[in-house]
Every structure is written in C-alpha cells, then in structure tokens.
DNA sequence: GCCAACGTTGGC
DNA sequence: GCCAACGTTGGC
C-alpha cells in the first residue's frame, strides 16, 4: 500500500467535480518522474488531493486509485492539449490511471498548515520549486494530514 | 503580473 | 555530454 499526493488546478479539475462524478481518468501527466510514480501506484492506494494555483492552495480530500496505470489516450489525440507527437502507439510515453472519490476533508489543510507541521518537513511538495504533479507520501505523513483534515 | 525553480530542448 | 535558452509551474 502506497500513499500519494496529486495536484490539480481547481479551475481545470476540482475535487468537488471528482466527488460529483465518482471517478476520473487522471490524464495529462507529462513529466517522467511523475509518470513513474503513476506506474507504481496500485489499486486501493490513497491519494491526497491538492488544489494548486488558486486562492487557497492545500489539500481538500482523499481519493483512491481504482485502476492501475494504462496508456494515456490524450497523448495520441491531436486535438488534446496533452497531445505528444513524439509518442507512438507502439511505444507510448505516457501513462494515466483512474482515481475515485474517497473522502472530503472537513477542513482544508492549507499550504501554511502543511509548512507548520513538524511531521511534514520532508514532504516533496514543500520543497522550493517542486513541480511534480504526483508525489509519494509516507504513511506517517498521510496520517498526520488526514488527522488535520478530518478535524 | 512577478519571479524563482526546475525540466526539456537543441546546438555544438 | 555539456550548457544556454526557453517554457512551465505555482506561490505570492
């Protein structure tokens, strides 16, 4: 069992939308390190859902991996923002997976909250300049954040 | 809108 | 394989 943190801009895809739809293919990851994390995820892994690039950045709830990684269809679609002309069907570069809604936090665990928490000092997301949209989280970090979020 | 950080690209 | 240029991310 692994734990992850995934970032999404709420203007693009919000956690509320995941709650409404129940599940969503997590496509558009175009960074090799993040892709490798996606490929390591297993069904049942819990995912902290982080809203970035918004007025109140932070973790809003928990999702769960419901399908392991498969070829990201958007890489083959010339109409998609995520189209990659260098990727072929014989040798696809990019993977996606499916996430399902799990739980909405009672309160936002904001970026300042995360920075304040001594147990979270090592989190990748808190490093300056970190741009990975998918990062691993330890079980202890997950627990600390879930405790804050569940209030 | 600014800017720091970092990944990627491409010339050499 | 080096490295400068460029693009993107994301907090503020």
């Amino acid at each position: 069992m692994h734990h992850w943190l995934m970032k999404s801009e709420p203007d693009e895809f919000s956690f509320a939308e995941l709650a409404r739809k129940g599940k969503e293919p997590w496509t558009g990851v175009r960074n090799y390190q993040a892709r490798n994390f996606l490929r390591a995820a297993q069904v049942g892994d819990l995912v902290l859902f982080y809203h970035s690039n918004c007025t109140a950045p932070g973790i809003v709830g928990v999702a769960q991996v419901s399908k392991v990684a498969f070829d990201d269809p958007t890489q083959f679609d010339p109409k998609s923002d995520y189209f990659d002309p260098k990727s072929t069907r014989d040798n696809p570069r990019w993977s996606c997976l499916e996430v399902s809604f799990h739980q909405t936090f009672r309160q936002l665990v904001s970026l300042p909250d995360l920075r304040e928490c001594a147990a979270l000092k090592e989190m990748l997301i808190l490093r300056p300049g970190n741009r990975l949209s998918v990062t691993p989280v330890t079980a202890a970090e997950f627990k600390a954040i879930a405790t804050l979020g569940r209030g």
Side-chain angles (χ1 to χ4, degrees), chain A residues 19 62 67 70 72 82 108 151:
Chain A
V62 181
K67 266 187 200 162
F70 54 100
D72 182 343
Y82 302 115
L108 172 77

Side-chain angles (χ1 to χ4, degrees), chain A residues 39-95:
Chain A
R39 289 181 178 178
Q42 297 168 307
V43 170
D45 285 356
L46 295 173
V47 178
L48 296 166
F49 200 105
Y50 181 94
H51 277 171
S52 67
N53 221 352
C54 56
T55 49
I59 297 166
V60 288
V62 181
Q64 190 166 31
V65 176
S66 48
K67 266 187 200 162
V68 293
F70 54 100
D71 295 343
D72 182 343
T74 64
Q75 69 193 307
F76 306 123
D77 179 3
K79 293 195 296 285
S80 168
D81 288 344
Y82 302 115
F83 176 62
D84 184 349
K86 292 179 185 164
S87 189
T88 64
R89 290 191 183 268
D90 288 344
N91 189 20
R93 284 189 176 184
W94 306 113
S95 299

Side-chain angles (χ1 to χ4, degrees), chain A residues 5-21:
Chain A
L5 183 149
M6 294 190 190
K7 287 195 278 198
S8 184
E9 300 188 18
D11 288 349
E12 298 294 323
F13 185 78
S14 70
F15 192 61
E17 203 173 335
L18 180 65
R20 205 177 321 121
K21 296 170 83 170

